[in-house]
Amino acid sequence: MKKTAIISLSLVLTLSLLSACGVKSPEPSSSSVSAAPQASATLTPSPAAIASQSGAIQKTPSPPDNSGTKSNTEPPGTKDSVQVVAKPESITVLVNKQFALPQNYEPTDLVYPDVPFVFKEKIEKRKMRKEAAKALEDLFAAASKASVPLSGVSAYRSYATQKALFESYVAKDGLEKARTYSAVPGTSEHATGLAIDVTGIDGKCPATNCFAGTKEAVWLEKHAPEFGFIIRYPKGKEATTGYQYEPWHIRYIGTKIAKEISESGSTLEKYLNAIPVSK
């Protein structure tokens, strides 16, 4: 018998004996096996939604541009996968539970709008980006002329401020409840410098449900788009925006887009062809 045949026969006998003794053949190493894809905790963003982060409004799908985004980051307090936006300084930037700002982002053109607030101090939450601040001044002037004067409650918030606020809500109501009305740090529109909570000049119902239905809320919903603002979290759109109805939270987006969104009764997510935030 040839030497090679003898060696082959010996290997077969050895493997048979090992099997008979209950010894399993070696498993392939994990490095040589591709892991099965895991289901994401959120819906996958559409191509148009990802493309919109560059600041270009695209109302028809186009190939995604991922060069300026980072995937699967996990802000504190949630297991949801999010995309970090490529151009946080864009006036059209989409920030929600699926799209986050860079943790170290701070607008470079923050100013104090010349409008009344429910407090007197010149502090962080009184600031807005320059373009939005000017639009807010025009909005407040028109509201006063219409005998529904407004006051600001809270505008810009840094990452650190939002983190402290969100953690206080979690301690009070639990994570699941807190996420229906407060944003995980990094995913708050307030950090863009383009959003503000408002109320009546009397300071009643500041960022609370009792603001709904007031003459100020009714006027704001009708006329805010004329100045480039939208009611960011409209009633009945909770599954799309991810947040409860907030008639006091307005977001500057520019007059053209604000009017289109308002006239269609839609949301910023829908306008940008972003996949809805279901919770």
Side-chain angles (χ1 to χ4, degrees), residues 103-131:
Q103 184 171 338
N104 61 349
Y105 174 69
E106 181 178 341
T108 58
D109 58 347
L110 290 171
V111 297
Y112 293 105
D114 186 16
V115 299
F117 274 74
V118 294
F119 53 87
K120 299 295 184 182
E121 301 81 7
K122 277 198 169 184
I123 53 179
E124 175 187 274
K125 65 180 182 177
R126 199 182 186 109
K127 295 180 178 180
M128 293 191 77
R129 290 186 59 185
K130 189 174 182 179
E131 183 177 335

Side-chain angles (χ1 to χ4, degrees), residues 118 148-153 198-206 211 214 216:
V118 294
V148 285
L150 303 170
S151 58
V153 177
V198 301
T199 191
I201 195 68
D202 58 10
K204 294 181 180 179
C205 301
F211 183 68
T214 62
E216 292 85 358

Side-chain angles (χ1 to χ4, degrees), residues 26-164:
E27 296 287 345
S29 66
S30 58
S31 61
S32 65
V33 180
S34 298
Q38 297 294 318
S40 173
T42 59
L43 295 173
T44 304
S46 68
I50 294 174
S52 74
Q53 303 317 300
S54 66
I57 300 299
Q58 299 191 16
K59 301 183 75 173
T60 55
S62 62
D65 176 10
N66 296 317
S67 59
T69 62
K70 297 180 181 178
S71 301
N72 300 322
T73 57
E74 293 186 359
T78 177
K79 294 181 180 179
D80 287 354
S81 296
V82 298
Q83 298 271 342
V84 176
V85 298
K87 293 189 176 182
E89 72 282 0
S90 172
I91 293 296
T92 63
V93 66
L94 175 63
V95 178
N96 61 16
K97 291 181 178 180
Q98 293 173 331
F99 292 100
L101 294 166
Q103 184 171 338
N104 61 349
Y105 174 69
E106 181 178 341
T108 58
D109 58 347
L110 290 171
V111 297
Y112 293 105
D114 186 16
V115 299
F117 274 74
V118 294
F119 53 87
K120 299 295 184 182
E121 301 81 7
K122 277 198 169 184
I123 53 179
E124 175 187 274
K125 65 180 182 177
R126 199 182 186 109
K127 295 180 178 180
M128 293 191 77
R129 290 186 59 185
K130 189 174 182 179
E131 183 177 335
K134 177 61 172 64
L136 187 74
E137 291 171 357
D138 294 341
L139 171 67
F140 272 43
S144 293
K145 189 174 181 180
S147 300
V148 285
L150 303 170
S151 58
V153 177
S154 181
Y156 172 73
R157 293 183 205 143
S158 65
Y159 183 96
T161 298
Q162 185 65 32
K163 183 175 184 293

Side-chain angles (χ1 to χ4, degrees), residues 195-279:
I196 182 173
D197 296 334
V198 301
T199 191
I201 195 68
D202 58 10
K204 294 181 180 179
C205 301
T208 53
N209 292 335
C210 63
F211 183 68
T214 62
K215 62 180 181 179
E216 292 85 358
V218 172
W219 185 92
L220 196 62
E221 183 171 3
K222 182 177 181 180
H223 296 284
E226 298 168 15
F227 303 90
F229 290 91
I230 57 172
I231 304 299
R232 181 63 179 88
Y233 308 119
K235 191 173 184 179
K237 305 295 183 180
E238 292 82 357
T240 302
T241 65
Y243 294 103
Q244 67 178 32
Y245 172 44
E246 294 188 358
W248 59 84
H249 180 110
I250 58 176
R251 157 71 192 272
Y252 181 75
I253 198 72
T255 54
K256 179 180 181 296
I257 300 173
K259 288 178 180 179
E260 289 183 16
I261 290 176
S262 176
E263 288 170 3
S264 66
S266 188
T267 64
L268 186 57
E269 282 83 4
K270 180 67 174 177
Y271 187 89
L272 296 177
N273 289 327
I275 289 180
V277 179
S278 60
K279 59 181 178 179

